[in-house]
């Protein structure tokens, strides 16, 4: 199975992932054990989102960051994830992150939580997210990065062989993806094998 293909076609693995990530009692020890990550950082980032901002949430998964708000658009490639997210909102769409069905410069905020490391080509995905982001808008997300520790790197390699993860990259690669998309005000917050990031699409001078 190709990089990340299991997220599109899988059902059991997708459902199990969504169950754990949305169960705060289980998610905290699991994230710490697997990736040495304090998942409260993710919850804080989600809570800080402006509900008035026109927001693209991709991959929205089962709806961990989804809000019942018509200005929050959840997008995923997996029907299984979208079916689970429908418990929270109907503002959902199945689409490919590499070819978003939106015009240029429309969203105030694009969020991509725990998604880039599942993709075959995260750099291209960042460029596409930037395309639909209005000047002055913000891209925010979290992603696993490579080469943080031997144990997590071994686990990452195993997950990639199972078709669950893509190639991802290091912390330096993540900064390069954002910079090459002409994003500015880049802030990276590493925590274990996970890194949170924010960046802004600059306004024309």
């Amino acid at each position: 199975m190709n990089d990340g293909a299991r997220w599109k076609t899988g059902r059991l693995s997708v459902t199990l992932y969504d169950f754990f990530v949305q169960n705060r009692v289980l998610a905290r020890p699991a994230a710490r054990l697997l990736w040495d990550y304090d998942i409260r950082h993710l919850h804080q980032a989600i809570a800080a989102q402006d509900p008035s901002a026109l927001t693209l949430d991709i991959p929205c998964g089962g709806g961990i960051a989804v809000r019942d708000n018509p200005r929050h658009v959840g997008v995923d490639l997996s029907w299984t994830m979208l079916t689970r997210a429908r418990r929270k909102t109907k503002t959902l769409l199945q689409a490919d992150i590499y070819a978003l069905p939106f015009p240029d410069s429309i969203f105030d905020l694009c969020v991509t939580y725990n998604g880039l490391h599942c993709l075959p080509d995260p750099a291209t995905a960042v460029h596409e997210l930037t395309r639909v982001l209005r000047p002055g808008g913000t891209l925010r997300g979290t992603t696993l990065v490579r080469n943080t520790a031997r144990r997590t790197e071994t686990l990452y390699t195993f997950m990639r062989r199972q078709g669950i993860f893509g190639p991802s990259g290091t912390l330096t690669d993540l900064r390069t993806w954002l910079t090459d998309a002409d994003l500015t005000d880049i802030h990276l917050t590493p925590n274990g094998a996970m890194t949170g990031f924010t960046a802004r699409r600059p306004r024309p001078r």
Side-chain angles (χ1 to χ4, degrees), residues 75-86:
V75 178
D76 207 288
L77 197 59
S78 165
W79 273 117
T80 301
M81 286 296 199
L82 292 171
T83 298
R84 295 178 68 82
R86 283 194 183 94

Side-chain angles (χ1 to χ4, degrees), residues 120-142:
D121 188 355
T124 297
V126 170
H127 273 272
E128 180 67 351
L129 291 172
T130 302
R131 179 186 69 78
V132 301
L133 194 64
R134 67 168 178 79
T138 299
L139 173 65
R140 175 181 297 141
T142 57

Side-chain angles (χ1 to χ4, degrees), residues 87-110:
R87 298 171 298 176
K88 297 185 176 183
T89 184
K90 298 294 189 286
T91 313
L92 298 167
L93 179 69
Q94 185 182 36
D96 190 327
I97 197 170
Y98 302 119
L100 295 170
F102 304 111
D104 296 351
S105 308
I106 185 172
F107 290 99
D108 303 313
L109 172 67
C110 291

Side-chain angles (χ1 to χ4, degrees), residues 2-8 58-59 75-78 95-100 112-129 142-144 146 156 160 163-169 177 197:
N2 295 331
D3 295 337
R6 197 177 297 273
W7 295 107
K8 180 179 179 181
I58 182 171
V75 178
D76 207 288
L77 197 59
S78 165
D96 190 327
I97 197 170
Y98 302 119
L100 295 170
T112 179
Y113 296 120
N114 300 354
L116 293 184
H117 57 263
C118 299
L119 302 175
D121 188 355
T124 297
V126 170
H127 273 272
E128 180 67 351
L129 291 172
T142 57
T143 185
L144 287 166
R146 308 295 301 270
Y156 197 105
R160 187 177 180 194
I164 296 172
F165 290 166
S168 191
W177 301 338
F197 59 89

Side-chain angles (χ1 to χ4, degrees), residues 3 35 117 143-150 152-161 165-174 177 192-195:
D3 295 337
W35 306 112
H117 57 263
T143 185
L144 287 166
V145 295
R146 308 295 301 270
N147 300 335
T148 57
R150 180 177 297 178
T152 55
E153 184 65 15
T154 299
L155 178 58
Y156 197 105
T157 299
F158 171 78
M159 299 290 267
R160 187 177 180 194
R161 287 174 179 166
F165 290 166
S168 191
T170 64
L171 196 65
T172 299
D173 292 325
L174 174 58
W177 301 338
M194 189 75 74
T195 292

